[in-house]
Amino acid sequence: MNCDDAHLLMHGHLDGELDLVRDLEVERHIVECRHCAREYSTLRAMRLRLKEEEFRFEAPPELKARIRAAIPASRRPGADAYPARRETWAPRAIRYAIPVALAAMLALVILPRAFGPSADQRVADEVIASHVRSLMPGHLMDVASSDQHTVKPWFNGKLDFSPPVTDFAKQGFPLVGGRLDYIEGQPVAALVYQRGKHVINVFMWPTHDSATSPQRIDTEHGYHVEQLAVAGMNCWIVSDLSSQELDKFASLLHAQG
Ligand SMILES: [Zn+2]
């Protein structure tokens, strides 16, 4: 710290307005620099003097009376809780600032819920993210098998539900395996099917909804997502297959229930 810095920060130091580090820096400089030490002691002495009785001024009673008389009756103390403050800008600014701040908070918290992505779209985003992650090398399958009697028992003990597993090889959608995944913060079953070189992921977790027909979920990511309920399972299907082909697969899944 040089003398210029010390000079600037000295007042803040005296008023206790500096943070601990700055405070210590100013103190150290004053100890080391005779010039600043002198300036500091002058400042401190002046500060103490200003607090003394002889520098304080009490308004005489006549002045108080004249000021009171000059204020309209409606604005005198007692007429209103905060008569004088009405005239200053600061409380007025605060009175306006609070509703504005509340409105801004409401806008930030409520509007995204009302107009943001729907619950379905949020799940669709998660499902697509998991699908993309599964396509990275070594992530697609925990159990690689086209045999539904191998894949289904593999989930035993790993999930507290048993997903229905059907191979659709005869219909052109062979089962290739399965893995554990997470959607909406819960462990889910992911079944992996193939159509040519395209991968189809089917995420399943229990639902109380009765069986529902497949519905296409709009997405902005170039993947196709369909949702249906079958056999007590919420099923989310995702792939880069065409919508028509995915429709076909979704109806196969729907028919097994
Ligand atoms: Zn100095």
Side-chain angles (χ1 to χ4, degrees):
M1 176 166 297
N2 59 32
C3 292
D4 286 343
D5 292 338
H7 179 78
L8 278 174
L9 293 170
M10 224 172 255
H11 299 268
H13 177 69
L14 268 171
D15 292 337
E17 288 165 345
L18 302 183
D19 61 82
L20 185 64
V21 176
R22 284 274 175 214
D23 239 10
L24 289 173
E25 281 174 1
V26 172
E27 240 161 58
R28 194 176 307 139
H29 183 83
I30 289 166
V31 168
E32 289 166 356
C33 170
R34 280 174 60 199
H35 172 76
C36 288
R38 207 169 325 126
E39 192 186 333
Y40 180 74
S41 70
T42 308
L43 263 179
R44 203 172 59 169
M46 189 165 74
R47 213 176 114 90
L48 291 171
R49 274 304 259 155
L50 285 172
K51 282 185 177 167
E52 286 169 12
E53 197 66 24
E54 59 197 280
F55 287 101
R56 296 174 75 127
F57 177 75
E58 269 285 314
E62 312 87 72
L63 180 62
K64 281 185 185 168
R66 265 168 53 207
I67 290 172
R68 272 180 190 280
I71 301 171
S74 63
R75 292 194 179 170
R76 271 178 216 159
D80 189 275
Y82 304 100
R85 288 188 188 180
R86 280 271 157 96
E87 297 307 300
T88 67
W89 63 271
R92 186 173 297 185
I94 288 165
R95 270 207 305 280
Y96 289 119
I98 289 169
V100 168
L102 281 174
M105 275 164 64
L106 284 177
L108 283 172
V109 173
I110 290 173
L111 291 185
R113 285 173 193 217
F115 299 105
S118 68
D120 275 356
Q121 272 166 350
R122 279 201 305 273
V123 177
D125 285 346
E126 267 198 70
V127 159
I128 291 169
S130 285
H131 175 73
V132 171
R133 209 161 43 235
S134 78
L135 300 179
M136 290 187 224
H139 284 74
L140 190 57
M141 287 170 288
D142 292 333
V143 51
S145 171
S146 57
D147 181 4
Q148 62 207 57
H149 304 293
T150 305
V151 176
K152 190 175 169 67
W154 180 84
F155 286 107
N156 288 347
K158 298 183 179 74
L159 293 168
D160 54 8
F161 60 92
S162 182
V165 181
T166 311
D167 181 20
F168 299 113
K170 280 181 199 147
Q171 295 89 344
F173 296 90
L175 172 75
V176 289
R179 71 174 187 284
L180 278 185
D181 215 312
Y182 285 85
I183 301 288
E184 291 201 296
Q186 61 184 334
V188 303
L191 301 180
V192 185
Y193 292 87
Q194 221 159 11
R195 174 73 160 181
K197 289 194 169 173
H198 302 272
V199 169
I200 305 168
N201 267 294
V202 182
F203 299 91
M204 287 186 183
W205 61 96
T207 176
H208 297 299
D209 290 348
S210 48
T212 55
S213 305
Q215 56 158 336
R216 289 182 186 174
I217 308 285
D218 288 332
T219 72
E220 300 164 348
H221 306 277
Y223 293 94
H224 295 115
V225 176
E226 299 208 20
Q227 187 272 333
L228 68 145
V230 64
M233 291 291 142
N234 191 359
C235 303
W236 286 75
I237 309 166
V238 55
S239 179
D240 60 349
L241 268 183
S242 71
S243 307
Q244 290 74 20
E245 293 237 76
L246 209 60
D247 282 349
K248 211 186 288 176
F249 177 76
S251 12
L252 288 173
L253 210 60
H254 185 56
Q256 74 169 329

